Amino acid sequence: MQDRAFVNAFCGSFPGAAVSQPFGPEHDCWKVGSKMFAIIGQMGDGVSVKTDHVETARLLIETGRAIRAPYLHASWARIPFGRVTDDELRERIATSYALIRAGLPKKVQAALG
């Protein structure tokens, strides 16, 4: 079942991933190397993730699998729970993590394992 616990358990499985709540206790913000890769907002009914391109986010939105991620760059998409399969949701989160991790300094990446 896709929910906050599902996403938090999956995000917590990545090396160096840590949750924080910089926007308040109702927001779970997952970071790697101090950079955000996933966020569950106050409503708790979806997760925002980074995509590889603005076009990818736009395609997800146009096909009804995501909506525009509020307050984030256009390369981010918010995936409401239940709009995609569990496997696709995991893939989107894993891709977001990989993109953010790849942008970290090499020394920080190496320390993550």
Side-chain angles (χ1 to χ4, degrees):
M1 179 170 130
Q2 296 177 9
D3 60 9
R4 185 181 296 269
F6 175 91
V7 171
N8 284 341
F10 187 64
C11 288
S13 71
F14 293 108
V19 68
S20 65
Q21 297 174 321
F23 309 114
E26 61 279 341
H27 293 78
D28 293 336
C29 182
W30 282 94
K31 297 180 179 182
V32 60
S34 78
K35 302 290 184 183
M36 184 172 67
F37 71 91
I39 184 166
I40 304 170
Q42 179 177 338
M43 300 292 286
D45 59 354
V47 60
S48 294
V49 295
K50 180 157 180 55
T51 65
D52 57 348
H53 298 287
V54 171
E55 293 80 17
T56 303
R58 191 175 303 130
L59 179 63
L60 288 169
I61 294 165
E62 288 173 0
T63 59
R65 294 171 16 231
I67 61 173
R68 174 84 169 84
Y71 312 110
L72 299 173
H73 185 269
S75 62
W76 283 73
R78 186 170 166 276
I79 303 173
F81 295 139
R83 292 233 185 138
V84 298
T85 65
D86 290 357
D87 286 342
E88 182 175 351
L89 184 58
R90 284 187 199 99
E91 179 185 334
R92 296 285 170 203
I93 295 169
T95 297
S96 183
Y97 171 85
L99 289 167
I100 298 302
R101 182 178 170 148
L104 297 174
K106 299 294 181 198
K107 190 172 188 177
V108 174
Q109 288 182 50
L112 297 172

